[in-house]
Amino acid sequence: MALRDELAGITSVLDGPASAYLNDSTEIRGLHGRADAVVAPSSVDEVARLLAWCYENGVPLIPRGGGTGYAGGAVPLDGGVVLTLERLNRVRSFDPLLWRMFVEAGVTTGDVRRLAREQGLMFPPDPGGAEQSQIGGNIATNAGGPHAFKYGVTGKWVTGLEAVVPPGEVITVGGPTRKDAAGYDLKSLLIGSEGTLGIVTAAWLRLVPAPEAAFPVAAFYDGIGAGCSAILSILGSGLEVATIEYLDGGTLEAAGASFPVEMPRGAGFLVIAEADGSASEAARLRDETAAVLGEGALAVTAASSPDEIAALWRWRDGVTFAVTALMGAKVSEDIAVPLDRIEEAIAETLEIGRRHGLPACSWGHAGDGNLHSTFLLAPGDPEALARASRATDDLLEMAIRLGGTVSGEHGLGVIRSGWLSRQWGARAVELHAEIKQVFDPKGLLNPGKKTA
Amino acid sequence: MALRDELAGITSVLDGPASAYLNDSTEIRGLHGRADAVVAPSSVDEVARLLAWCYENGVPLIPRGGGTGYAGGAVPLDGGVVLTLERLNRVRSFDPLLWRMFVEAGVTTGDVRRLAREQGLMFPPDPGGAEQSQIGGNIATNAGGPHAFKYGVTGKWVTGLEAVVPPGEVITVGGPTRKDAAGYDLKSLLIGSEGTLGIVTAAWLRLVPAPEAAFPVAAFYDGIGAGCSAILSILGSGLEVATIEYLDGGTLEAAGASFPVEMPRGAGFLVIAEADGSASEAARLRDETAAVLGEGALAVTAASSPDEIAALWRWRDGVTFAVTALMGAKVSEDIAVPLDRIEEAIAETLEIGRRHGLPACSWGHAGDGNLHSTFLLAPGDPEALARASRATDDLLEMAIRLGGTVSGEHGLGVIRSGWLSRQWGARAVELHAEIKQVFDPKGLLNPGKKTA
């Protein structure tokens, strides 16, 4: 093929259908991609030449990280060239004594976290799928995770970016410097732009000393009301825990059997708050947290050995798979609402499911008001999928009505494209479109994604 | 005057020359503003109508906070309408139990911090001049301060903005929700844009439980080498202090006489690191910090009573005035460099001063590599001012050469306008200009500021 031959003159073109590079976690919702070629550049220069070639030839370019996204952001919708960043995986520099690291986009989140940890440091963002997801993808979606409650999302830990922008040039915004008030914040504009404004090729990351200890406290309640009261009590008590996670009754039914310790009878809601800091501080905070969570709880359990703690978070990381396994497929959103609307949002998720005849549940990052609201269905059931789609519309409407956002951490991708116009006013939406136009006038970078 | 009459139909027009609204802290550098009118709207609707009127009539509009800026960002360069936000000073809502506040742009930084503190919470950004500076101005410059080392700059604490953008519309980006991955990050684009893209009229702020205790440790050294070694030792020891401030010998000569305790003989460098957290944690961290800072120090002193601590920070806040008082005027920059280049940057500041025949000194936020590099001169000496201007050029060149930025927290304003082109590559500069064009196609918002 002419296209593949031309690309082969620039970089490595993968053989065959390369189907592993055409989908992400939305495959379960029926989203399948189609690409004309998949390329795997191993230098920023190759990325720049690829984008230049695509720009000259009017060919869409779809950048791709680990493919763990939940919004279809990395799925090629209608041909074009998929660009996997997995071979840009060098750690360009690591200065543990200065709390910073400079890595290429294809380094996995897990590797960044491990490298930091080996030197007594922490890279706090912890979206799921750390072994597969890559730092470039985390940046492209401004990924969150449980510890974002205390430590913030990915963007807060990025001090500089190297990126390739149309028509094929490398730009650098920020760097190892921890503060920069010189230009407009192009760095933050690229963060979370889902590959539609530029292709992040490397990032300077800020690190922080790892807490000496982190003790999760798990508290079970009989239902949403008691659980949400407990969540607000933690905040109201001024306890600065690192996470405030929750799982509702339906989620516990799906995932509870493998919970590391026995669940109390009648458990319909779980809150996991983690206390971290120095060993003594984390222990003190754990005890205070357990006391606050204990009011109105069926049971409170605090993991304390490293094995127990690891087991708890491994279990938490697997919740999405356990929920999927229940019926074989699920449609999951990641709305976020103001903290005073969580209880309403969790309850209404169930109500929306009932209205559309779908089992529903939710779990997520309660401290950030970020719900993974989910509808369960059997795979390959187009009628149920259509109902799930209508249920999703109701869910996103609710998020906006409650003063929240249609996406807390997964992005618009293609799944939620078009929804920004309901969340933002007309002038803001116009600015959004014009910024896209400034960066990518031909609309070739990840087309169909993050449209307002 | 016709202009004033027309404006009076929209909002309050201040009488007289209103000279207090024409300058900022750059007045000492000879920068004086000139405006055709100064208006003081008291609602966002008035701000929108003002901008619409200016857009229809081709009149520049210069938004203004407390006027404590160091870059001339709020100075009207060549007429137009100055818009002071001081009457937009309502706290629209405050939910201490949910760690959040929604305030109008004209609320002072001091009031935000005080309100939070009264409820056991903290709004961490602490730029100087808290009683005069306003939250809108802090957002417009993405202001920092000593505690930005641990807690980050202003932007990290803003979850949403209400702003008026050309041609006169109110937009809302973000809100009370703590996470939002839906649209491009217009919020961060407005933050630090120095009133050149839009006028921030209100902000949702995130708060955090106030630490129970905060103990500053002050350590004196004989010079730059020993002092910078100590700074790097704190980082290398993994001590997560809240501030790492420094003052060099020249600064100590200017401000040292009023230091709360006696300075040791031969003191040529001061480091102030603050340990915060629970009372026990802060005390432990203070002791560890004192031990690390003690190596190579002439003396180490830890303030521990609330009065001593307040006195120390009050003294630190006054350093800029003490340095000014030395000769009557100063030219001060706020470059930032990577942490491994601080010693070089502090030393070269002095060398640049010598080269241009000007007494020089520096102090600032060492933990963020952020130097307030300063040249002293007598007021009303145009020849010295010209030399200071050349010295400043050398200083900004140095910041770029060391891989840093021409501004860590004050912004480009008019003082550093034009310097971004030396710091960024051509394509990034082009994007910068095009973004301005998208927001403000007629170039009427704060003209002449933050140009690349």
Side-chain angles (χ1 to χ4, degrees):
Chain A
M1 274 175 65
L3 173 80
R4 295 172 68 97
D5 289 345
E6 292 210 45
L7 293 172
I10 300 171
T11 189
S12 302
V13 181
L14 300 190
D15 288 334
S19 58
Y21 296 92
L22 303 180
N23 306 306
D24 70 3
S25 301
T26 54
E27 198 173 4
I28 210 167
R29 293 168 80 150
L31 193 67
H32 301 285
R34 187 188 71 74
D36 297 310
V38 179
V39 296
S42 44
S43 73
V44 61
D45 179 57
E46 284 180 19
V47 176
R49 286 163 59 209
L50 276 165
L51 182 54
W53 184 89
C54 286
Y55 241 67
E56 276 161 31
N57 293 278
V59 175
L61 189 62
I62 299 94
R64 181 182 180 85
T68 57
Y70 282 98
V75 178
L77 299 178
D78 189 24
V81 176
V82 167
L83 186 164
T84 172
L85 287 142
E86 67 195 33
R87 291 188 191 170
L88 262 82
N89 61 356
R90 289 184 315 138
V91 176
R92 292 198 188 159
S93 65
F94 178 24
D95 300 296
L97 298 179
L98 301 172
W99 307 3
R100 73 188 186 201
M101 198 187 289
F102 183 29
V103 297
E104 292 184 340
V107 176
T108 66
T109 320
D111 278 343
V112 168
R113 287 170 59 86
R114 207 154 25 237
L115 278 168
R117 178 61 72 160
E118 285 166 5
Q119 300 295 328
L121 296 168
M122 175 168 68
F123 178 69
D126 59 344
E131 298 311 318
Q132 195 186 337
S133 89
Q134 296 165 10
I135 202 73
N138 296 164
I139 290 168
T141 54
N142 202 6
H147 289 79
F149 174 64
K150 177 173 175 183
Y151 293 99
V153 293
T154 300
K156 297 216 167 155
W157 299 91
V158 176
T159 62
L161 288 180
E162 175 194 272
V164 174
V165 296
E169 279 162 281
V170 183
I171 63 169
T172 297
V173 281
T177 308
R178 292 168 54 104
K179 267 165 126 179
D180 190 354
Y184 295 143
D185 193 354
L186 299 194
K187 181 190 74 184
S188 295
L189 202 51
L190 286 165
I191 294 169
S193 68
E194 305 183 41
T196 63
L197 301 181
I199 302 167
V200 170
T201 49
W204 282 270
L205 305 177
R206 193 166 61 85
L207 307 169
V208 72
E212 197 181 355
F215 301 126
V217 178
F220 291 93
Y221 304 88
D222 61 6
I224 300 171
C228 288
S229 292
I231 289 164
L232 295 180
S233 290
I234 296 190
L235 294 168
S237 305
L239 298 174
E240 202 195 352
V241 290
T243 74
I244 310 180
E245 297 285 293
Y246 85 96
L247 293 85
D248 77 354
T251 310
L252 283 180
E253 274 178 42
S258 57
F259 188 71
V261 297
E262 204 181 342
M263 285 207 302
R265 282 169 65 94
F269 202 91
L270 169 62
V271 174
I272 307 174
E274 187 173 81
D276 72 358
S278 68
S280 63
E281 188 62 15
R284 187 190 61 75
L285 186 55
R286 174 198 59 203
D287 295 345
E288 287 184 29
T289 302
V292 169
L293 287 180
E295 289 170 36
L298 300 175
V300 178
T301 167
S304 56
S305 80
D307 284 353
E308 283 171 357
I309 294 164
L312 180 72
W313 285 119
R314 210 163 39 237
W315 172 81
R316 168 63 188 84
D317 214 26
V319 161
T320 186
F321 305 107
V323 171
T324 304
L326 213 58
M327 290 183 62
K330 68 173 166 57
V331 166
S332 199
E333 296 291 321
D334 81 309
I335 58 171
V337 298
L339 291 171
D340 41 335
R341 313 308 287 271
I342 304 177
E343 181 173 346
E344 218 171 327
I346 295 172
E348 197 170 327
T349 293
L350 302 181
E351 175 52 35
I352 291 170
R354 271 193 291 273
R355 202 153 65 221
H356 295 278
L358 294 166
C361 64
S362 75
W363 69 95
H365 317 305
D368 283 322
N370 191 187
L371 284 62
H372 297 309
S373 288
T374 300
F375 306 110
L376 305 176
L377 63 164
D381 179 346
E383 190 275 330
L385 202 58
R387 274 186 285 132
S389 170
R390 290 193 295 276
T392 293
D393 287 351
D394 288 358
L395 198 66
L396 301 184
E397 296 266 23
M398 172 190 75
I400 295 168
R401 172 165 38 82
L402 297 181
T405 174
V406 296
S407 176
E409 55 181 17
H410 294 163
L412 289 181
V414 61
I415 290 293
R416 282 172 287 270
S417 265
W419 274 91
L420 195 63
S421 306
R422 307 207 199 180
Q423 184 172 323
W424 283 8
R427 179 63 180 138
V429 166
E430 207 170 80
L431 292 169
H432 196 270
E434 288 174 15
I435 284 169
K436 167 70 175 177
Q437 184 69 20
V438 161
F439 277 80
D440 180 23
K442 294 192 180 177
L444 295 174
L445 263 181
N446 210 5
K449 314 297 169 54
K450 212 171 185 83
T451 59
Chain B
M1 272 175 68
L3 172 82
R4 296 172 68 97
D5 289 346
E6 291 209 45
L7 293 172
I10 300 171
T11 190
S12 302
V13 182
L14 300 191
D15 288 334
S19 58
Y21 296 91
L22 303 180
N23 306 307
D24 69 3
S25 301
T26 54
E27 197 173 5
I28 210 167
R29 293 169 79 150
L31 194 66
H32 301 284
R34 188 188 72 73
D36 298 309
V38 179
V39 297
S42 45
S43 73
V44 61
D45 179 56
E46 284 180 19
V47 176
R49 286 163 58 209
L50 276 165
L51 182 54
W53 184 88
C54 286
Y55 240 67
E56 276 162 31
N57 294 279
V59 175
L61 190 61
I62 298 94
R64 181 183 180 85
T68 57
Y70 282 98
V75 177
L77 299 179
D78 188 25
V81 177
V82 166
L83 187 164
T84 172
L85 287 142
E86 67 195 34
R87 291 188 191 168
L88 262 82
N89 61 357
R90 288 185 315 138
V91 175
R92 291 199 188 158
S93 65
F94 179 24
D95 300 296
L97 298 179
L98 301 173
W99 307 3
R100 72 187 189 203
M101 198 187 290
F102 183 30
V103 297
E104 292 184 340
V107 176
T108 66
T109 320
D111 278 344
V112 168
R113 288 171 59 87
R114 206 154 26 239
L115 278 168
R117 177 63 71 160
E118 284 166 6
Q119 300 295 327
L121 296 168
M122 175 170 67
F123 178 68
D126 58 345
E131 298 311 319
Q132 194 185 340
S133 91
Q134 298 166 9
I135 201 72
N138 297 165
I139 289 168
T141 54
N142 201 7
H147 289 78
F149 174 64
K150 177 174 176 182
Y151 293 100
V153 292
T154 301
K156 297 216 166 154
W157 299 90
V158 175
T159 62
L161 289 179
E162 175 192 272
V164 174
V165 296
E169 279 163 280
V170 182
I171 64 169
T172 297
V173 281
T177 308
R178 292 168 54 104
K179 265 164 127 180
D180 189 354
Y184 296 142
D185 193 353
L186 299 194
K187 181 190 73 185
S188 294
L189 202 51
L190 286 165
I191 294 169
S193 68
E194 306 182 42
T196 63
L197 301 181
I199 302 165
V200 170
T201 50
W204 283 269
L205 306 176
R206 192 165 63 83
L207 307 168
V208 72
E212 197 181 356
F215 300 127
V217 179
F220 291 93
Y221 304 87
D222 61 6
I224 300 171
C228 288
S229 292
I231 289 164
L232 295 181
S233 290
I234 296 189
L235 295 167
S237 305
L239 298 175
E240 202 195 352
V241 290
T243 74
I244 310 181
E245 297 285 294
Y246 85 96
L247 293 85
D248 77 355
T251 310
L252 283 180
E253 274 178 43
S258 57
F259 188 72
V261 296
E262 204 183 340
M263 285 207 300
R265 282 170 65 94
F269 202 91
L270 169 62
V271 174
I272 307 174
E274 186 173 82
D276 72 357
S278 67
S280 63
E281 186 62 15
R284 188 190 59 76
L285 185 56
R286 174 197 59 203
D287 295 345
E288 287 185 28
T289 301
V292 168
L293 287 180
E295 289 171 35
L298 299 175
V300 178
T301 167
S304 55
S305 81
D307 284 352
E308 282 171 356
I309 294 165
L312 180 71
W313 285 118
R314 210 164 38 238
W315 172 80
R316 168 64 187 84
D317 214 26
V319 162
T320 186
F321 305 108
V323 171
T324 304
L326 213 57
M327 290 185 60
K330 69 172 164 59
V331 167
S332 199
E333 296 291 319
D334 81 310
I335 57 170
V337 297
L339 291 172
D340 41 335
R341 312 308 288 270
I342 304 176
E343 182 174 345
E344 219 172 325
I346 296 172
E348 198 171 326
T349 293
L350 302 182
E351 175 51 35
I352 291 170
R354 270 191 291 272
R355 203 154 63 223
H356 295 279
L358 294 166
C361 64
S362 75
W363 69 94
H365 317 305
D368 283 323
N370 191 186
L371 283 63
H372 297 310
S373 288
T374 300
F375 304 111
L376 305 177
L377 63 165
D381 178 346
E383 191 274 331
L385 203 57
R387 273 186 285 132
S389 170
R390 290 194 294 275
T392 293
D393 287 352
D394 288 358
L395 198 66
L396 301 183
E397 296 266 24
M398 173 190 75
I400 295 169
R401 171 164 39 83
L402 297 182
T405 173
V406 296
S407 176
E409 55 181 16
H410 294 164
L412 288 181
V414 62
I415 290 295
R416 282 172 287 270
S417 266
W419 274 90
L420 195 63
S421 305
R422 308 206 199 180
Q423 183 173 325
W424 283 7
R427 179 63 180 138
V429 166
E430 205 170 81
L431 292 168
H432 195 270
E434 289 175 14
I435 285 169
K436 167 71 174 178
Q437 183 70 19
V438 161
F439 278 79
D440 180 23
K442 294 191 180 179
L444 294 174
L445 263 181
N446 209 5
K449 314 296 169 56
K450 213 173 183 81
T451 58

